[in-house]
Amino acid sequence: MAKILRDPFLRFGAVIVKTGQYLFALAAALVLLLVPLSVVFGDNVLQAVHQHFAFADSYYPVGSVVTLLLFVSAVLALWWMFFRYLTNIVDTVVEGDPFIASNASRIQRMAFLLLAIQLIYIPTAAFGLIVETAFKGPTSEVDVFWDFTGLLMVITLFVFARVFRHGTDMRSDLQGTI
């Protein structure tokens, strides 16, 4: 256990994971704060859009902006949850006993969170296109694609969850025979 605590990569990783967790929470809170501000100051936003893009027919789609902000805050909140589970797993590594049933459950939840994030990206991009088109005109385009790496990570996490679950079952069986 002392060797694990001295591992500089583990300590660095723990700092990065905890920092990420706090940053995602802060970002989600700030985006949620923008929801009422986008409604109250919609006219000011539209003025800034007119000045920036010089598109005379631009308009401010309040409902689409609010929906886009809510989707973005939902994605950020899901990332916060993902990092919370990852922080819990890193903590068990630091304690010296990561191969426990709760970590298998955490990894499976992390896989479901990543899957949800991948699925929420689709309507988020659609509302992003609606807002951008309203601001910049019909020449706007938003790239929407299925992220193969994200899908691969989801599958990998589901496999790791199974491996952890099987390993903890084998460990408990072994402890029962001693």
PDB file of all heavy atoms in Angstrom, residues 117-156:
ATOM      1  N   ILE A 117     -24.290  10.454 -22.657  1.00  0.00           N
ATOM      2  CA  ILE A 117     -23.627  11.647 -23.189  1.00  0.00           C
ATOM      3  C   ILE A 117     -23.573  11.578 -24.713  1.00  0.00           C
ATOM      4  O   ILE A 117     -23.877  12.560 -25.405  1.00  0.00           O
ATOM      5  CB  ILE A 117     -22.213  11.800 -22.581  1.00  0.00           C
ATOM      6  CG1 ILE A 117     -22.313  12.199 -21.110  1.00  0.00           C
ATOM      7  CG2 ILE A 117     -21.381  12.814 -23.364  1.00  0.00           C
ATOM      8  CD1 ILE A 117     -21.007  12.081 -20.337  1.00  0.00           C
ATOM      9  N   GLN A 118     -23.206  10.418 -25.239  1.00  0.00           N
ATOM     10  CA  GLN A 118     -23.143  10.254 -26.695  1.00  0.00           C
ATOM     11  C   GLN A 118     -24.513  10.504 -27.338  1.00  0.00           C
ATOM     12  O   GLN A 118     -24.605  11.136 -28.391  1.00  0.00           O
ATOM     13  CB  GLN A 118     -22.650   8.851 -27.059  1.00  0.00           C
ATOM     14  CG  GLN A 118     -21.219   8.575 -26.682  1.00  0.00           C
ATOM     15  CD  GLN A 118     -20.257   9.427 -27.476  1.00  0.00           C
ATOM     16  OE1 GLN A 118     -20.364   9.541 -28.690  1.00  0.00           O
ATOM     17  NE2 GLN A 118     -19.308  10.032 -26.795  1.00  0.00           N
ATOM     18  N   LEU A 119     -25.561  10.021 -26.702  1.00  0.00           N
ATOM     19  CA  LEU A 119     -26.905  10.190 -27.255  1.00  0.00           C
ATOM     20  C   LEU A 119     -27.395  11.637 -27.128  1.00  0.00           C
ATOM     21  O   LEU A 119     -28.087  12.138 -28.029  1.00  0.00           O
ATOM     22  CB  LEU A 119     -27.881   9.227 -26.585  1.00  0.00           C
ATOM     23  CG  LEU A 119     -27.623   7.746 -26.868  1.00  0.00           C
ATOM     24  CD1 LEU A 119     -28.564   6.873 -26.046  1.00  0.00           C
ATOM     25  CD2 LEU A 119     -27.760   7.446 -28.356  1.00  0.00           C
ATOM     26  N   ILE A 120     -27.044  12.300 -26.049  1.00  0.00           N
ATOM     27  CA  ILE A 120     -27.485  13.686 -25.851  1.00  0.00           C
ATOM     28  C   ILE A 120     -26.750  14.642 -26.789  1.00  0.00           C
ATOM     29  O   ILE A 120     -27.271  15.709 -27.111  1.00  0.00           O
ATOM     30  CB  ILE A 120     -27.318  14.097 -24.370  1.00  0.00           C
ATOM     31  CG1 ILE A 120     -28.297  13.313 -23.506  1.00  0.00           C
ATOM     32  CG2 ILE A 120     -27.542  15.590 -24.171  1.00  0.00           C
ATOM     33  CD1 ILE A 120     -28.135  13.538 -22.019  1.00  0.00           C
ATOM     34  N   TYR A 121     -25.580  14.255 -27.270  1.00  0.00           N
ATOM     35  CA  TYR A 121     -24.867  15.108 -28.225  1.00  0.00           C
ATOM     36  C   TYR A 121     -25.690  15.349 -29.491  1.00  0.00           C
ATOM     37  O   TYR A 121     -25.580  16.391 -30.111  1.00  0.00           O
ATOM     38  CB  TYR A 121     -23.525  14.483 -28.617  1.00  0.00           C
ATOM     39  CG  TYR A 121     -22.407  14.692 -27.633  1.00  0.00           C
ATOM     40  CD1 TYR A 121     -21.313  13.850 -27.636  1.00  0.00           C
ATOM     41  CD2 TYR A 121     -22.423  15.731 -26.710  1.00  0.00           C
ATOM     42  CE1 TYR A 121     -20.267  14.023 -26.738  1.00  0.00           C
ATOM     43  CE2 TYR A 121     -21.396  15.906 -25.815  1.00  0.00           C
ATOM     44  CZ  TYR A 121     -20.311  15.057 -25.833  1.00  0.00           C
ATOM     45  OH  TYR A 121     -19.287  15.237 -24.951  1.00  0.00           O
ATOM     46  N   ILE A 122     -26.520  14.398 -29.874  1.00  0.00           N
ATOM     47  CA  ILE A 122     -27.278  14.514 -31.128  1.00  0.00           C
ATOM     48  C   ILE A 122     -28.293  15.665 -31.062  1.00  0.00           C
ATOM     49  O   ILE A 122     -28.248  16.568 -31.907  1.00  0.00           O
ATOM     50  CB  ILE A 122     -27.939  13.166 -31.493  1.00  0.00           C
ATOM     51  CG1 ILE A 122     -26.848  12.116 -31.743  1.00  0.00           C
ATOM     52  CG2 ILE A 122     -28.850  13.310 -32.710  1.00  0.00           C
ATOM     53  CD1 ILE A 122     -27.349  10.692 -31.808  1.00  0.00           C
ATOM     54  N   PRO A 123     -29.219  15.695 -30.078  1.00  0.00           N
ATOM     55  CA  PRO A 123     -30.127  16.842 -30.034  1.00  0.00           C
ATOM     56  C   PRO A 123     -29.414  18.151 -29.677  1.00  0.00           C
ATOM     57  O   PRO A 123     -29.851  19.225 -30.099  1.00  0.00           O
ATOM     58  CB  PRO A 123     -31.159  16.460 -28.974  1.00  0.00           C
ATOM     59  CG  PRO A 123     -30.515  15.413 -28.148  1.00  0.00           C
ATOM     60  CD  PRO A 123     -29.564  14.698 -29.062  1.00  0.00           C
ATOM     61  N   THR A 124     -28.309  18.060 -28.939  1.00  0.00           N
ATOM     62  CA  THR A 124     -27.556  19.267 -28.619  1.00  0.00           C
ATOM     63  C   THR A 124     -27.025  19.898 -29.903  1.00  0.00           C
ATOM     64  O   THR A 124     -27.127  21.112 -30.099  1.00  0.00           O
ATOM     65  CB  THR A 124     -26.391  18.950 -27.654  1.00  0.00           C
ATOM     66  OG1 THR A 124     -26.916  18.340 -26.481  1.00  0.00           O
ATOM     67  CG2 THR A 124     -25.628  20.198 -27.273  1.00  0.00           C
ATOM     68  N   ALA A 125     -26.479  19.090 -30.784  1.00  0.00           N
ATOM     69  CA  ALA A 125     -25.981  19.603 -32.065  1.00  0.00           C
ATOM     70  C   ALA A 125     -27.121  20.152 -32.914  1.00  0.00           C
ATOM     71  O   ALA A 125     -26.965  21.185 -33.582  1.00  0.00           O
ATOM     72  CB  ALA A 125     -25.235  18.509 -32.811  1.00  0.00           C
ATOM     73  N   ALA A 126     -28.280  19.503 -32.864  1.00  0.00           N
ATOM     74  CA  ALA A 126     -29.429  19.983 -33.638  1.00  0.00           C
ATOM     75  C   ALA A 126     -29.862  21.367 -33.153  1.00  0.00           C
ATOM     76  O   ALA A 126     -30.111  22.274 -33.968  1.00  0.00           O
ATOM     77  CB  ALA A 126     -30.588  18.992 -33.530  1.00  0.00           C
ATOM     78  N   PHE A 127     -29.963  21.548 -31.837  1.00  0.00           N
ATOM     79  CA  PHE A 127     -30.339  22.860 -31.322  1.00  0.00           C
ATOM     80  C   PHE A 127     -29.229  23.884 -31.554  1.00  0.00           C
ATOM     81  O   PHE A 127     -29.508  25.061 -31.758  1.00  0.00           O
ATOM     82  CB  PHE A 127     -30.743  22.787 -29.846  1.00  0.00           C
ATOM     83  CG  PHE A 127     -32.148  22.337 -29.658  1.00  0.00           C
ATOM     84  CD1 PHE A 127     -32.429  21.017 -29.375  1.00  0.00           C
ATOM     85  CD2 PHE A 127     -33.198  23.223 -29.793  1.00  0.00           C
ATOM     86  CE1 PHE A 127     -33.731  20.581 -29.218  1.00  0.00           C
ATOM     87  CE2 PHE A 127     -34.508  22.807 -29.649  1.00  0.00           C
ATOM     88  CZ  PHE A 127     -34.780  21.478 -29.361  1.00  0.00           C
ATOM     89  N   GLY A 128     -27.985  23.443 -31.551  1.00  0.00           N
ATOM     90  CA  GLY A 128     -26.879  24.338 -31.890  1.00  0.00           C
ATOM     91  C   GLY A 128     -27.010  24.839 -33.315  1.00  0.00           C
ATOM     92  O   GLY A 128     -26.762  26.029 -33.595  1.00  0.00           O
ATOM     93  N   LEU A 129     -27.418  23.966 -34.225  1.00  0.00           N
ATOM     94  CA  LEU A 129     -27.622  24.364 -35.618  1.00  0.00           C
ATOM     95  C   LEU A 129     -28.780  25.353 -35.738  1.00  0.00           C
ATOM     96  O   LEU A 129     -28.692  26.335 -36.479  1.00  0.00           O
ATOM     97  CB  LEU A 129     -27.869  23.137 -36.495  1.00  0.00           C
ATOM     98  CG  LEU A 129     -28.121  23.411 -37.972  1.00  0.00           C
ATOM     99  CD1 LEU A 129     -26.918  24.098 -38.604  1.00  0.00           C
ATOM    100  CD2 LEU A 129     -28.444  22.120 -38.704  1.00  0.00           C
ATOM    101  N   ILE A 130     -29.855  25.105 -35.005  1.00  0.00           N
ATOM    102  CA  ILE A 130     -31.000  26.024 -35.039  1.00  0.00           C
ATOM    103  C   ILE A 130     -30.576  27.416 -34.579  1.00  0.00           C
ATOM    104  O   ILE A 130     -30.894  28.433 -35.226  1.00  0.00           O
ATOM    105  CB  ILE A 130     -32.152  25.489 -34.161  1.00  0.00           C
ATOM    106  CG1 ILE A 130     -32.764  24.233 -34.785  1.00  0.00           C
ATOM    107  CG2 ILE A 130     -33.215  26.565 -33.939  1.00  0.00           C
ATOM    108  CD1 ILE A 130     -33.701  23.480 -33.869  1.00  0.00           C
ATOM    109  N   VAL A 131     -29.845  27.481 -33.474  1.00  0.00           N
ATOM    110  CA  VAL A 131     -29.411  28.778 -32.935  1.00  0.00           C
ATOM    111  C   VAL A 131     -28.420  29.442 -33.885  1.00  0.00           C
ATOM    112  O   VAL A 131     -28.530  30.632 -34.182  1.00  0.00           O
ATOM    113  CB  VAL A 131     -28.803  28.602 -31.518  1.00  0.00           C
ATOM    114  CG1 VAL A 131     -28.158  29.884 -31.041  1.00  0.00           C
ATOM    115  CG2 VAL A 131     -29.886  28.145 -30.541  1.00  0.00           C
ATOM    116  N   GLU A 132     -27.459  28.683 -34.388  1.00  0.00           N
ATOM    117  CA  GLU A 132     -26.470  29.274 -35.295  1.00  0.00           C
ATOM    118  C   GLU A 132     -27.122  29.770 -36.581  1.00  0.00           C
ATOM    119  O   GLU A 132     -26.764  30.828 -37.096  1.00  0.00           O
ATOM    120  CB  GLU A 132     -25.371  28.264 -35.620  1.00  0.00           C
ATOM    121  CG  GLU A 132     -24.262  28.872 -36.459  1.00  0.00           C
ATOM    122  CD  GLU A 132     -23.121  27.932 -36.720  1.00  0.00           C
ATOM    123  OE1 GLU A 132     -22.854  27.053 -35.892  1.00  0.00           O
ATOM    124  OE2 GLU A 132     -22.481  28.088 -37.774  1.00  0.00           O
ATOM    125  N   THR A 133     -28.071  29.020 -37.111  1.00  0.00           N
ATOM    126  CA  THR A 133     -28.776  29.442 -38.322  1.00  0.00           C
ATOM    127  C   THR A 133     -29.568  30.716 -38.066  1.00  0.00           C
ATOM    128  O   THR A 133     -29.614  31.607 -38.922  1.00  0.00           O
ATOM    129  CB  THR A 133     -29.711  28.319 -38.825  1.00  0.00           C
ATOM    130  OG1 THR A 133     -28.928  27.151 -39.068  1.00  0.00           O
ATOM    131  CG2 THR A 133     -30.431  28.722 -40.092  1.00  0.00           C
ATOM    132  N   ALA A 134     -30.169  30.828 -36.889  1.00  0.00           N
ATOM    133  CA  ALA A 134     -30.911  32.048 -36.554  1.00  0.00           C
ATOM    134  C   ALA A 134     -29.981  33.253 -36.469  1.00  0.00           C
ATOM    135  O   ALA A 134     -30.354  34.362 -36.832  1.00  0.00           O
ATOM    136  CB  ALA A 134     -31.648  31.863 -35.233  1.00  0.00           C
ATOM    137  N   PHE A 135     -28.770  33.030 -35.996  1.00  0.00           N
ATOM    138  CA  PHE A 135     -27.814  34.124 -35.842  1.00  0.00           C
ATOM    139  C   PHE A 135     -27.098  34.462 -37.154  1.00  0.00           C
ATOM    140  O   PHE A 135     -26.947  35.627 -37.501  1.00  0.00           O
ATOM    141  CB  PHE A 135     -26.757  33.783 -34.792  1.00  0.00           C
ATOM    142  CG  PHE A 135     -27.268  33.794 -33.374  1.00  0.00           C
ATOM    143  CD1 PHE A 135     -26.466  33.320 -32.360  1.00  0.00           C
ATOM    144  CD2 PHE A 135     -28.528  34.258 -33.039  1.00  0.00           C
ATOM    145  CE1 PHE A 135     -26.908  33.319 -31.043  1.00  0.00           C
ATOM    146  CE2 PHE A 135     -28.985  34.256 -31.743  1.00  0.00           C
ATOM    147  CZ  PHE A 135     -28.168  33.787 -30.730  1.00  0.00           C
ATOM    148  N   LYS A 136     -26.637  33.435 -37.869  1.00  0.00           N
ATOM    149  CA  LYS A 136     -25.764  33.649 -39.022  1.00  0.00           C
ATOM    150  C   LYS A 136     -26.451  33.493 -40.374  1.00  0.00           C
ATOM    151  O   LYS A 136     -25.885  33.861 -41.386  1.00  0.00           O
ATOM    152  CB  LYS A 136     -24.593  32.672 -38.963  1.00  0.00           C
ATOM    153  CG  LYS A 136     -23.662  32.932 -37.804  1.00  0.00           C
ATOM    154  CD  LYS A 136     -22.634  31.840 -37.615  1.00  0.00           C
ATOM    155  CE  LYS A 136     -21.654  31.711 -38.729  1.00  0.00           C
ATOM    156  NZ  LYS A 136     -20.615  30.697 -38.443  1.00  0.00           N
ATOM    157  N   GLY A 137     -27.622  32.911 -40.383  1.00  0.00           N
ATOM    158  CA  GLY A 137     -28.313  32.733 -41.648  1.00  0.00           C
ATOM    159  C   GLY A 137     -28.251  31.306 -42.156  1.00  0.00           C
ATOM    160  O   GLY A 137     -27.673  30.424 -41.523  1.00  0.00           O
ATOM    161  N   PRO A 138     -28.831  31.077 -43.338  1.00  0.00           N
ATOM    162  CA  PRO A 138     -28.958  29.714 -43.864  1.00  0.00           C
ATOM    163  C   PRO A 138     -27.635  29.069 -44.287  1.00  0.00           C
ATOM    164  O   PRO A 138     -27.609  27.895 -44.614  1.00  0.00           O
ATOM    165  CB  PRO A 138     -29.890  29.884 -45.069  1.00  0.00           C
ATOM    166  CG  PRO A 138     -29.775  31.314 -45.448  1.00  0.00           C
ATOM    167  CD  PRO A 138     -29.456  32.073 -44.201  1.00  0.00           C
ATOM    168  N   THR A 139     -26.548  29.811 -44.280  1.00  0.00           N
ATOM    169  CA  THR A 139     -25.262  29.219 -44.658  1.00  0.00           C
ATOM    170  C   THR A 139     -24.585  28.512 -43.495  1.00  0.00           C
ATOM    171  O   THR A 139     -23.486  27.996 -43.640  1.00  0.00           O
ATOM    172  CB  THR A 139     -24.310  30.312 -45.193  1.00  0.00           C
ATOM    173  OG1 THR A 139     -24.117  31.288 -44.167  1.00  0.00           O
ATOM    174  CG2 THR A 139     -24.887  30.969 -46.437  1.00  0.00           C
ATOM    175  N   SER A 140     -25.234  28.486 -42.342  1.00  0.00           N
ATOM    176  CA  SER A 140     -24.649  27.864 -41.155  1.00  0.00           C
ATOM    177  C   SER A 140     -24.593  26.353 -41.309  1.00  0.00           C
ATOM    178  O   SER A 140     -25.419  25.748 -41.986  1.00  0.00           O
ATOM    179  CB  SER A 140     -25.479  28.192 -39.913  1.00  0.00           C
ATOM    180  OG  SER A 140     -25.493  29.573 -39.704  1.00  0.00           O
ATOM    181  N   GLU A 141     -23.602  25.773 -40.674  1.00  0.00           N
ATOM    182  CA  GLU A 141     -23.522  24.321 -40.643  1.00  0.00           C
ATOM    183  C   GLU A 141     -22.875  23.890 -39.335  1.00  0.00           C
ATOM    184  O   GLU A 141     -21.985  24.541 -38.807  1.00  0.00           O
ATOM    185  CB  GLU A 141     -22.741  23.770 -41.826  1.00  0.00           C
ATOM    186  CG  GLU A 141     -21.300  24.222 -41.900  1.00  0.00           C
ATOM    187  CD  GLU A 141     -20.603  23.656 -43.119  1.00  0.00           C
ATOM    188  OE1 GLU A 141     -21.036  23.968 -44.244  1.00  0.00           O
ATOM    189  OE2 GLU A 141     -19.641  22.901 -42.924  1.00  0.00           O
ATOM    190  N   VAL A 142     -23.397  22.804 -38.786  1.00  0.00           N
ATOM    191  CA  VAL A 142     -22.848  22.204 -37.581  1.00  0.00           C
ATOM    192  C   VAL A 142     -22.560  20.759 -37.916  1.00  0.00           C
ATOM    193  O   VAL A 142     -23.412  20.048 -38.448  1.00  0.00           O
ATOM    194  CB  VAL A 142     -23.846  22.303 -36.394  1.00  0.00           C
ATOM    195  CG1 VAL A 142     -23.345  21.511 -35.206  1.00  0.00           C
ATOM    196  CG2 VAL A 142     -24.081  23.751 -36.016  1.00  0.00           C
ATOM    197  N   ASP A 143     -21.350  20.333 -37.654  1.00  0.00           N
ATOM    198  CA  ASP A 143     -20.983  18.947 -37.924  1.00  0.00           C
ATOM    199  C   ASP A 143     -21.561  18.043 -36.851  1.00  0.00           C
ATOM    200  O   ASP A 143     -21.317  18.244 -35.668  1.00  0.00           O
ATOM    201  CB  ASP A 143     -19.467  18.783 -37.955  1.00  0.00           C
ATOM    202  CG  ASP A 143     -18.837  19.470 -39.157  1.00  0.00           C
ATOM    203  OD1 ASP A 143     -19.529  19.580 -40.183  1.00  0.00           O
ATOM    204  OD2 ASP A 143     -17.670  19.887 -39.059  1.00  0.00           O
ATOM    205  N   VAL A 144     -22.356  17.078 -37.276  1.00  0.00           N
ATOM    206  CA  VAL A 144     -22.925  16.093 -36.365  1.00  0.00           C
ATOM    207  C   VAL A 144     -22.465  14.729 -36.849  1.00  0.00           C
ATOM    208  O   VAL A 144     -22.661  14.364 -37.997  1.00  0.00           O
ATOM    209  CB  VAL A 144     -24.474  16.146 -36.359  1.00  0.00           C
ATOM    210  CG1 VAL A 144     -25.035  15.111 -35.409  1.00  0.00           C
ATOM    211  CG2 VAL A 144     -24.962  17.532 -36.008  1.00  0.00           C
ATOM    212  N   PHE A 145     -21.787  14.001 -35.981  1.00  0.00           N
ATOM    213  CA  PHE A 145     -21.324  12.675 -36.343  1.00  0.00           C
ATOM    214  C   PHE A 145     -21.307  11.826 -35.087  1.00  0.00           C
ATOM    215  O   PHE A 145     -21.235  12.324 -33.981  1.00  0.00           O
ATOM    216  CB  PHE A 145     -19.932  12.733 -36.982  1.00  0.00           C
ATOM    217  CG  PHE A 145     -18.870  13.291 -36.075  1.00  0.00           C
ATOM    218  CD1 PHE A 145     -18.101  12.448 -35.280  1.00  0.00           C
ATOM    219  CD2 PHE A 145     -18.649  14.654 -36.003  1.00  0.00           C
ATOM    220  CE1 PHE A 145     -17.137  12.962 -34.435  1.00  0.00           C
ATOM    221  CE2 PHE A 145     -17.680  15.168 -35.155  1.00  0.00           C
ATOM    222  CZ  PHE A 145     -16.923  14.327 -34.374  1.00  0.00           C
ATOM    223  N   TRP A 146     -21.397  10.538 -35.304  1.00  0.00           N
ATOM    224  CA  TRP A 146     -21.322   9.598 -34.186  1.00  0.00           C
ATOM    225  C   TRP A 146     -19.851   9.393 -33.879  1.00  0.00           C
ATOM    226  O   TRP A 146     -19.063   9.032 -34.742  1.00  0.00           O
ATOM    227  CB  TRP A 146     -21.999   8.288 -34.553  1.00  0.00           C
ATOM    228  CG  TRP A 146     -22.058   7.372 -33.379  1.00  0.00           C
ATOM    229  CD1 TRP A 146     -21.175   6.385 -33.081  1.00  0.00           C
ATOM    230  CD2 TRP A 146     -23.010   7.372 -32.339  1.00  0.00           C
ATOM    231  NE1 TRP A 146     -21.532   5.768 -31.916  1.00  0.00           N
ATOM    232  CE2 TRP A 146     -22.667   6.357 -31.436  1.00  0.00           C
ATOM    233  CE3 TRP A 146     -24.132   8.135 -32.066  1.00  0.00           C
ATOM    234  CZ2 TRP A 146     -23.403   6.085 -30.299  1.00  0.00           C
ATOM    235  CZ3 TRP A 146     -24.857   7.859 -30.934  1.00  0.00           C
ATOM    236  CH2 TRP A 146     -24.489   6.844 -30.069  1.00  0.00           C
ATOM    237  N   ASP A 147     -19.487   9.627 -32.654  1.00  0.00           N
ATOM    238  CA  ASP A 147     -18.098   9.528 -32.232  1.00  0.00           C
ATOM    239  C   ASP A 147     -17.751   8.065 -31.973  1.00  0.00           C
ATOM    240  O   ASP A 147     -18.170   7.486 -30.972  1.00  0.00           O
ATOM    241  CB  ASP A 147     -17.887  10.371 -30.971  1.00  0.00           C
ATOM    242  CG  ASP A 147     -16.450  10.376 -30.513  1.00  0.00           C
ATOM    243  OD1 ASP A 147     -15.576   9.961 -31.288  1.00  0.00           O
ATOM    244  OD2 ASP A 147     -16.213  10.815 -29.379  1.00  0.00           O
ATOM    245  N   PHE A 148     -16.986   7.468 -32.891  1.00  0.00           N
ATOM    246  CA  PHE A 148     -16.612   6.065 -32.763  1.00  0.00           C
ATOM    247  C   PHE A 148     -15.780   5.832 -31.506  1.00  0.00           C
ATOM    248  O   PHE A 148     -15.931   4.813 -30.840  1.00  0.00           O
ATOM    249  CB  PHE A 148     -15.850   5.604 -34.005  1.00  0.00           C
ATOM    250  CG  PHE A 148     -15.425   4.168 -33.928  1.00  0.00           C
ATOM    251  CD1 PHE A 148     -16.363   3.146 -34.061  1.00  0.00           C
ATOM    252  CD2 PHE A 148     -14.103   3.824 -33.690  1.00  0.00           C
ATOM    253  CE1 PHE A 148     -15.978   1.814 -33.976  1.00  0.00           C
ATOM    254  CE2 PHE A 148     -13.709   2.502 -33.603  1.00  0.00           C
ATOM    255  CZ  PHE A 148     -14.647   1.498 -33.746  1.00  0.00           C
ATOM    256  N   THR A 149     -14.906   6.782 -31.174  1.00  0.00           N
ATOM    257  CA  THR A 149     -14.074   6.639 -29.982  1.00  0.00           C
ATOM    258  C   THR A 149     -14.941   6.593 -28.729  1.00  0.00           C
ATOM    259  O   THR A 149     -14.691   5.800 -27.820  1.00  0.00           O
ATOM    260  CB  THR A 149     -13.065   7.799 -29.887  1.00  0.00           C
ATOM    261  OG1 THR A 149     -12.338   7.873 -31.105  1.00  0.00           O
ATOM    262  CG2 THR A 149     -12.120   7.622 -28.724  1.00  0.00           C
ATOM    263  N   GLY A 150     -15.950   7.447 -28.657  1.00  0.00           N
ATOM    264  CA  GLY A 150     -16.857   7.433 -27.516  1.00  0.00           C
ATOM    265  C   GLY A 150     -17.609   6.126 -27.405  1.00  0.00           C
ATOM    266  O   GLY A 150     -17.761   5.567 -26.313  1.00  0.00           O
ATOM    267  N   LEU A 151     -18.078   5.627 -28.536  1.00  0.00           N
ATOM    268  CA  LEU A 151     -18.781   4.345 -28.542  1.00  0.00           C
ATOM    269  C   LEU A 151     -17.845   3.216 -28.123  1.00  0.00           C
ATOM    270  O   LEU A 151     -18.222   2.332 -27.351  1.00  0.00           O
ATOM    271  CB  LEU A 151     -19.365   4.069 -29.923  1.00  0.00           C
ATOM    272  CG  LEU A 151     -20.192   2.796 -30.071  1.00  0.00           C
ATOM    273  CD1 LEU A 151     -21.385   2.812 -29.135  1.00  0.00           C
ATOM    274  CD2 LEU A 151     -20.638   2.617 -31.500  1.00  0.00           C
ATOM    275  N   LEU A 152     -16.618   3.255 -28.606  1.00  0.00           N
ATOM    276  CA  LEU A 152     -15.629   2.251 -28.218  1.00  0.00           C
ATOM    277  C   LEU A 152     -15.350   2.318 -26.712  1.00  0.00           C
ATOM    278  O   LEU A 152     -15.213   1.289 -26.056  1.00  0.00           O
ATOM    279  CB  LEU A 152     -14.339   2.449 -29.016  1.00  0.00           C
ATOM    280  CG  LEU A 152     -13.253   1.418 -28.823  1.00  0.00           C
ATOM    281  CD1 LEU A 152     -13.736   0.032 -29.249  1.00  0.00           C
ATOM    282  CD2 LEU A 152     -12.012   1.821 -29.603  1.00  0.00           C
ATOM    283  N   MET A 153     -15.301   3.516 -26.168  1.00  0.00           N
ATOM    284  CA  MET A 153     -15.073   3.669 -24.724  1.00  0.00           C
ATOM    285  C   MET A 153     -16.247   3.104 -23.923  1.00  0.00           C
ATOM    286  O   MET A 153     -16.045   2.493 -22.870  1.00  0.00           O
ATOM    287  CB  MET A 153     -14.852   5.149 -24.397  1.00  0.00           C
ATOM    288  CG  MET A 153     -14.365   5.381 -23.021  1.00  0.00           C
ATOM    289  SD  MET A 153     -12.743   4.644 -22.836  1.00  0.00           S
ATOM    290  CE  MET A 153     -12.606   4.680 -21.084  1.00  0.00           C
ATOM    291  N   VAL A 154     -17.459   3.309 -24.402  1.00  0.00           N
ATOM    292  CA  VAL A 154     -18.639   2.746 -23.736  1.00  0.00           C
ATOM    293  C   VAL A 154     -18.536   1.227 -23.695  1.00  0.00           C
ATOM    294  O   VAL A 154     -18.720   0.608 -22.635  1.00  0.00           O
ATOM    295  CB  VAL A 154     -19.940   3.190 -24.459  1.00  0.00           C
ATOM    296  CG1 VAL A 154     -21.138   2.393 -23.971  1.00  0.00           C
ATOM    297  CG2 VAL A 154     -20.182   4.676 -24.269  1.00  0.00           C
ATOM    298  N   ILE A 155     -18.218   0.624 -24.835  1.00  0.00           N
ATOM    299  CA  ILE A 155     -18.089  -0.837 -24.891  1.00  0.00           C
ATOM    300  C   ILE A 155     -16.968  -1.313 -23.971  1.00  0.00           C
ATOM    301  O   ILE A 155     -17.126  -2.297 -23.238  1.00  0.00           O
ATOM    302  CB  ILE A 155     -17.857  -1.295 -26.345  1.00  0.00           C
ATOM    303  CG1 ILE A 155     -19.109  -1.008 -27.179  1.00  0.00           C
ATOM    304  CG2 ILE A 155     -17.479  -2.771 -26.413  1.00  0.00           C
ATOM    305  CD1 ILE A 155     -18.907  -1.133 -28.676  1.00  0.00           C
ATOM    306  N   THR A 156     -15.839  -0.599 -24.000  1.00  0.00           N
ATOM    307  CA  THR A 156     -14.707  -0.963 -23.147  1.00  0.00           C
ATOM    308  C   THR A 156     -15.087  -0.915 -21.674  1.00  0.00           C
ATOM    309  O   THR A 156     -14.736  -1.819 -20.903  1.00  0.00           O
ATOM    310  CB  THR A 156     -13.514  -0.027 -23.421  1.00  0.00           C
ATOM    311  OG1 THR A 156     -13.167  -0.119 -24.801  1.00  0.00           O
ATOM    312  CG2 THR A 156     -12.319  -0.374 -22.557  1.00  0.00           C
TER     313      THR A 156
END
